[in-house]
Amino acid sequence: MTLSPPLPPRDGVHYRACNLCEAICGLRITVQGGQVTDVRGDPDDPLSRGHICPKGAALPDLHADPDRLKTPMRRDGDTWHPMSWDDALDLVARRLRGVQAAHGPDSVATFQGNPSVHNSGTLLTAGAFLKALGTRNRYSATSTDQLPHHYAAAEMFGHPLLLPIPDVDRTDFLLMLGANPLASNGSILTAPGMRERLRAIRDRGGRVVLLDPRRTESAAHVSEYHPIRPGSDALFLMALLHVILSEGLARPGRLADVTDGLEDLHDVAAPYTPEAVQAATGVPAATTRDLARAFARAP
Ligand code: SF4
């Protein structure tokens, strides 16, 4: 297999999407003399509306970095030698097969970084490669930060990718536990420009509530911030459920026909009064009751 070197970019203005994170901001890229001279947010992008973060703005530095790897490198003692893609792929395939033949399929592990989800080549080929590899030791950005969401989605909705996300641009009450959208750029939500989106909720009379053990960057952009003890989110959520169910505030509406076990939930949530969990969560019972009622009554 021979890979041709990429052609230099054409001079002019190019519109692309940043593939560094799932905010997928629209970019306006200027090329002059074959060099990227400017990258900025595209104000006409319907999703990101001109938003760009420092990582996106630094893409030209990444592109032109003299230390950027453009060919596989093989370490020999303390030195590194460039090698061809053909030789590199043969070497990796031979070594992987050797390790697995000697120690079993699970003796190798994989890790996929976040941008691999935003690369069409990786997206198309990684699944087949991982299946052929046959190891159960597969790690990724998902396994380090969002697998509980996928697990809950699979249990509740039947598929790990049926992830419910808040409708940030229309909601009137946004409750966040441990989320730091100013830093994550709305990860999972694919909602770049969260600073403006949070402000818009407050501007239309809504309420943005953040619970986090740490007063994060996002805390300055919410209606109210409440510290919570680390590891106690589940207790706080059970107390919310307790208030909503015991005070008859649940409105399952058309979802009632497709919901199982709501009565069981009443029994499960019964012991978790806000008063019973406040010592563990550090959230005053009155605050929990207020949040539960406001959350349930939000339009
Ligand atoms: S938030 Fe930053 S890294 Fe993420 S897509 Fe936008 S510019 Fe790229």
Side-chain angles (χ1 to χ4, degrees):
M1 181 187 69
T2 305
L3 295 177
S4 310
L7 296 171
R10 280 180 293 110
D11 282 8
V13 175
H14 303 271
Y15 293 90
R16 296 288 186 275
C18 176
N19 67 355
L20 291 183
C21 86
E22 66 177 82
I24 52 173
C25 296
L27 300 180
R28 189 178 183 278
I29 303 169
T30 304
V31 177
Q32 290 175 330
Q35 302 295 320
V36 176
T37 56
D38 186 58
V39 174
R40 57 188 63 212
D42 175 9
D44 296 325
D45 185 283
L47 185 65
S48 57
R49 307 166 193 164
H51 176 76
I52 187 171
C53 83
K55 285 192 296 182
L59 277 171
D61 300 336
L62 202 63
H63 183 71
D65 192 320
D67 291 333
R68 179 181 164 196
L69 288 178
K70 295 179 179 171
T71 186
M73 303 288 286
R74 180 174 184 172
R75 189 172 67 183
D76 183 11
D78 290 336
T79 56
W80 293 83
H81 304 284
M83 64 192 305
S84 71
W85 278 104
D86 281 347
D87 290 346
L89 290 169
D90 285 348
L91 174 67
V92 170
R94 200 166 56 243
R95 295 293 300 275
L96 283 176
R97 290 186 67 172
V99 169
Q100 288 189 306
H103 305 289
D106 296 330
S107 57
V108 298
T110 60
F111 189 96
Q112 283 189 275
N114 202 22
S116 61
V117 183
H118 313 286
N119 179 295
S120 51
T122 314
L123 207 55
L124 286 171
T125 56
F129 171 69
L130 293 173
K131 192 172 180 186
L133 205 54
T135 176
R136 65 179 180 179
N137 293 316
R138 292 160 53 172
Y139 305 96
S140 66
T142 293
S143 67
T144 53
D145 77 0
Q146 73 200 43
L147 215 45
H149 291 72
H150 289 296
Y151 183 77
E155 288 289 313
M156 290 182 68
F157 308 120
H159 195 284
L161 289 179
L162 288 173
L163 291 170
I165 58 169
D167 191 354
V168 176
D169 294 335
R170 294 169 192 80
T171 190
D172 288 305
F173 191 107
L174 182 62
L175 176 64
M176 302 186 290
L177 281 89
N180 188 6
L182 265 290
S184 69
N185 289 303
S187 184
I188 297 283
L189 307 180
T190 312
M194 281 299 288
R195 185 194 308 253
E196 291 72 29
R197 290 173 198 259
L198 295 183
R199 186 190 303 132
I201 296 174
R202 289 181 285 133
D203 286 350
R204 60 177 178 264
R207 193 169 164 190
V208 182
V209 180
L210 171 65
L211 289 97
D212 197 302
R214 186 170 73 88
R215 185 179 278 274
T216 63
E217 298 85 344
S218 298
H221 301 273
V222 300
S223 316
E224 55 198 90
Y225 159 72
H226 301 286
I228 184 170
R229 291 192 199 287
S232 66
D233 289 7
L235 288 173
F236 171 77
L237 289 169
M238 289 305 291
L240 278 193
L241 262 181
H242 171 92
V243 175
I244 291 170
L245 295 175
S246 66
E247 297 188 5
L249 301 175
R251 291 176 294 159
R254 62 189 167 82
L255 297 179
D257 291 343
V258 291
T259 304
D260 297 323
L262 203 51
E263 285 310 312
D264 296 340
L265 207 52
H266 278 264
D267 297 339
V268 171
Y272 296 94
T273 65
E275 291 73 19
V277 304
Q278 69 178 347
T281 63
V283 181
T287 301
T288 303
R289 287 191 181 278
D290 169 58
L291 291 176
R293 289 165 185 157
F295 181 79
R297 291 189 175 124

